Amino acid sequence: MTLRIDRRSLILTGTLGLAAFAIPGFAWGAGFGQGFTHSVASGEPGPDTMLLWTRYVPEGAGATKLRAEVSLTQDFARIVSGGEVFTGPWRDHTAKVTVQGLNPGTRYFYRFIAPDGAISPVGHTKTLPVGNPKRFGIAVFSCCNMPFGYFNAYAHAAMRDDIDLAVHLGDYFYEYAKGAYSPARGAIDGRVPLPEGEAIALADYRLRYASYRADPDLQALHRLKPMLVSMDDHELANNSWEGGAQNHQPEEGDYSTRRGAAFQAWREWMPVSETPWSSYDIGGLATLFRTDTRLTARSEGTDTGTVMKRDPDPVKALTAFRDGRWRDKAATMLGSEQEAWLAHAMARSVRAGTKWQVVGFGTIIGRNRVPEQAVEWLKPDAPQRVKDYTAASVTASKLGLPADLDNWGGYPEARARFLRSAQGMGANLIVLCGDSHNAWAFDLGEGGKPAGVEFAGTSVTSPGNEAYTSVDPKVIERALIATNPEVKWCEMSKRGYMAVTLTPERVSNDYVFMDTILERSLKASVGHTAVVQRGRNVMV
């Protein structure tokens, strides 16, 4: 199925500015000026509330008060809701206000007005429905690395009338310094975000958000769709956990200080509430659960290479890890507080008769081991770290360990607790995940019984398996499916997003792949559609 949207329509409707295409490296190497610098956004929708966001820098860059207006019509002839909010340099001039008194399942226009009469761009948003809606559409994104390409997936989803809500599962940006994790060919059209060094301090994280939020396609998505946003690790540092991260070194200062800076900038720059996790009722159709699986309470993880160095005999080291530390019941992705909250909130959803329980995680939960032939797939010039990682993963997989110990595969007892809880309450479980940069569909099981399905999306631009392999992706995909009973489908080479359609009796997920990210284009196609029927917890 081919999906075609004309980019000219975005320009004509004011979604994208013509000037954005006239200047190479638009905004990434320049200051962001005064006034409404980064358009508008909405998020955290409820049936009668909506969080609205903007950024306004007044002359003199001091404190100011903004007024939000909400209307059913684009001319704002009648204001139906709104609010006022102070902002200033203490929060990087960003502003958030939650408006009330809205009607459920209703589309609204909104804008901000400054004291000098300046008016922000007009945003579109939609409240959550009540009752028993017949359909609800969600666009799901993750892993957006600016130097690798254009955010065409954002622009494509922004223009779809069948998308009611955007969900971002993390890696909204990457913290690395210029060139530390970028394409060999160099950044596309100078798409190098600021600062050029690694984001470590509060000012760094703020500037990185400002660079990403200057992208016209990302602005289009935020302006036209309400969004639920979760953090993964790169909004802080690679492979983050409660007390540290793989990409945080002692010379970079105190980790808790860096962690606090990352959280502060995220809450300033994103249309999010102050709570790290929450639930959202889509009428009687579904409950959507936003979680934190990386930063709040995750136990320290490891990787197969590190484990293998613990003993001169790597197989002995991995075996000891598999039979010991790997199975530690204290190891957690969510932390006990969030685990308890999620279990109780899902049970309430089931008891209320809600048709689907939809949980968003930052990382994959489906079981996934590496086929033995994986070392033969690598390009001859693949980085040595990739060759070492692949060889270690193959060895670990032969011993029954998962391919990735940084995702839920490294926390098998926590995984089992979550899935057993879903089974026990009779949930119709849909798990949405990102992180891997490739696309997957899993049937999740525990104790030999179905527990739910997982739709794991590819990246918006970040490179996937294809960056390091030279064989036909279909060969890799067939081997992965043959090796892993829970993997029902996968795709190893394309970028895009997922379009999930909820109905009372079935959920379908279209894996939407963009034709290219190397130039601005809205050409896309559906590479696969996964479907689950209510009451089955396996894909048909």
Side-chain angles (χ1 to χ4, degrees):
M1 176 184 175
T2 299
L3 300 174
R4 293 285 185 255
I5 295 177
D6 180 9
R7 183 174 287 274
R8 181 172 178 271
S9 67
L10 275 77
I11 298 172
L12 293 177
T13 58
T15 303
L16 304 179
L18 288 169
F21 304 104
I23 305 172
F26 160 69
W28 292 278
F32 300 101
Q34 295 181 344
F36 289 101
T37 62
H38 287 78
S39 192
V40 296
S42 66
E44 306 282 346
D48 59 355
T49 62
M50 185 70 68
L51 186 151
L52 306 179
W53 179 98
T54 194
R55 182 172 188 265
Y56 180 80
V57 182
E59 184 177 354
T64 193
K65 184 171 71 172
L66 302 176
R67 184 173 81 253
E69 295 182 340
V70 181
S71 177
L72 289 167
T73 59
Q74 194 162 3
D75 62 5
F76 290 86
R78 178 171 173 264
I79 307 303
V80 298
S81 186
E84 295 183 324
V85 60
F86 287 107
T87 187
W90 64 87
R91 55 171 303 109
D92 207 14
H93 301 282
T94 63
K96 295 188 293 187
V97 58
T98 296
V99 296
Q100 305 179 55
L102 307 178
N103 293 322
T106 303
R107 296 184 184 276
Y108 289 97
F109 298 92
Y110 67 95
R111 66 186 181 185
F112 287 84
I113 300 176
D116 63 0
I119 300 176
S120 73
V122 174
H124 303 198
T125 194
K126 187 179 182 181
T127 51
L128 295 181
V130 296
N132 292 285
K134 300 301 183 185
R135 183 198 172 282
F136 193 84
I138 305 172
V140 184
F141 307 90
S142 66
C143 304
C144 317
N145 199 322
M146 183 177 286
F148 280 89
Y150 291 105
F151 294 160
N152 294 330
Y154 289 150
H156 191 274
M159 291 301 294
R160 292 182 58 165
D161 291 334
D162 59 345
I163 297 298
D164 300 294
L165 175 69
V167 169
H168 205 296
L169 295 172
D171 292 347
Y172 187 91
F173 67 53
Y174 286 71
E175 83 280 12
Y176 295 113
K178 177 182 178 181
Y181 177 30
S182 60
R185 61 182 176 271
I188 297 295
D189 287 352
R191 288 171 62 86
V192 178
L194 298 174
E196 292 195 354
E198 184 175 335
I200 298 173
L202 177 58
D204 302 330
Y205 287 108
R206 284 172 165 175
L207 189 53
R208 190 61 58 89
Y209 277 110
S211 292
Y212 271 70
R213 291 293 300 271
D215 181 273
D217 295 323
L218 182 49
Q219 286 192 8
L221 180 65
H222 274 301
R223 194 175 71 84
L224 295 176
K225 304 294 180 186
M227 184 181 286
L228 293 180
V229 191
S230 301
M231 295 177 79
D232 198 27
D233 56 343
H234 288 292
E235 290 91 343
L236 172 50
N238 184 56
N239 290 3
S240 301
W241 59 284
E242 182 184 18
Q246 176 274 330
N247 193 32
H248 181 79
Q249 286 69 49
E251 63 270 19
E252 292 174 330
D254 179 67
Y255 177 73
S256 63
T257 300
R258 182 177 185 177
R259 182 170 174 261
F263 270 114
Q264 179 175 336
W266 181 67
R267 289 182 175 125
E268 290 171 349
W269 276 88
M270 302 300 288
V272 296
S273 65
E274 302 301 305
T275 58
W277 55 77
S278 192
S279 62
Y280 307 85
D281 291 324
I282 307 171
L285 180 60
T287 305
L288 180 57
F289 300 91
R290 174 173 61 86
T291 68
D292 176 274
T293 54
R294 289 278 202 177
L295 308 180
T296 302
R298 186 170 85 125
S299 305
E300 183 176 10
T302 187
D303 60 79
T304 52
T306 300
V307 172
M308 291 170 71
K309 294 176 182 177
R310 296 174 182 171
D311 193 286
D313 183 345
V315 173
K316 182 179 177 182
L318 284 170
T319 301
F321 172 74
R322 181 198 64 192
D323 297 339
R325 173 67 177 81
W326 184 56
R327 302 178 187 277
D328 195 327
K329 293 182 179 180
T332 176
M333 288 287 276
L334 300 172
S336 59
E337 179 186 357
Q338 190 180 182
E339 277 193 27
W341 164 80
L342 183 58
H344 284 87
M346 288 177 61
R348 284 195 299 271
S349 174
V350 173
R351 289 196 301 270
T354 305
K355 305 294 191 300
W356 302 96
Q357 288 70 48
V358 184
V359 182
F361 288 141
T363 63
I364 285 175
I365 194 170
R367 292 192 176 99
N368 190 1
R369 292 183 292 115
V370 177
E372 186 172 355
Q373 60 268 42
V375 292
E376 303 170 4
W377 300 337
L378 297 176
K379 295 177 180 177
D381 61 349
Q384 189 59 44
R385 61 177 176 80
V386 174
K387 294 179 180 179
D388 293 344
Y389 176 84
T390 304
S393 296
V394 169
T395 302
S397 293
K398 290 179 180 179
L399 297 172
L401 287 166
D404 189 355
L405 295 176
D406 185 54
N407 66 18
W408 283 84
Y411 303 79
E413 292 295 329
R415 178 191 191 273
R417 286 195 298 270
F418 169 70
L419 294 179
R420 285 198 299 264
S421 173
Q423 289 172 328
M425 67 182 68
N428 283 276
L429 176 64
I430 306 291
V431 174
L432 305 176
C433 290
D435 185 62
S436 78
H437 302 184
N438 291 114
W440 309 83
F442 295 89
D443 278 344
L444 303 173
E446 183 59 35
K449 299 178 181 179
V453 303
E454 176 182 6
F455 303 139
T458 188
S459 64
V460 172
T461 60
S462 302
N465 186 274
E466 78 289 346
Y468 308 110
T469 56
S470 57
V471 302
D472 185 342
K474 297 299 181 186
V475 172
I476 299 173
E477 292 155 14
R478 287 194 294 269
L480 286 166
I481 293 171
T483 304
N484 297 285
E486 287 193 350
V487 177
K488 300 305 175 183
W489 174 86
C490 59
E491 203 289 326
M492 293 290 113
S493 65
K494 297 177 181 178
R495 314 275 72 81
Y497 67 100
M498 298 190 298
V500 180
T501 302
L502 301 164
T503 67
E505 296 303 323
R506 77 195 289 267
V507 174
S508 62
N509 180 41
D510 289 341
Y511 294 84
V512 180
F513 298 127
M514 308 308 298
D515 283 13
T516 183
I517 59 170
L518 301 183
E519 61 184 30
R520 293 188 180 278
S521 172
L522 287 178
K523 294 180 179 179
S525 59
V526 175
H528 179 72
T529 299
V531 176
V532 58
Q533 300 285 352
R534 185 167 181 266
R536 297 284 305 279
N537 277 329
V538 294
M539 283 172 278
V540 297

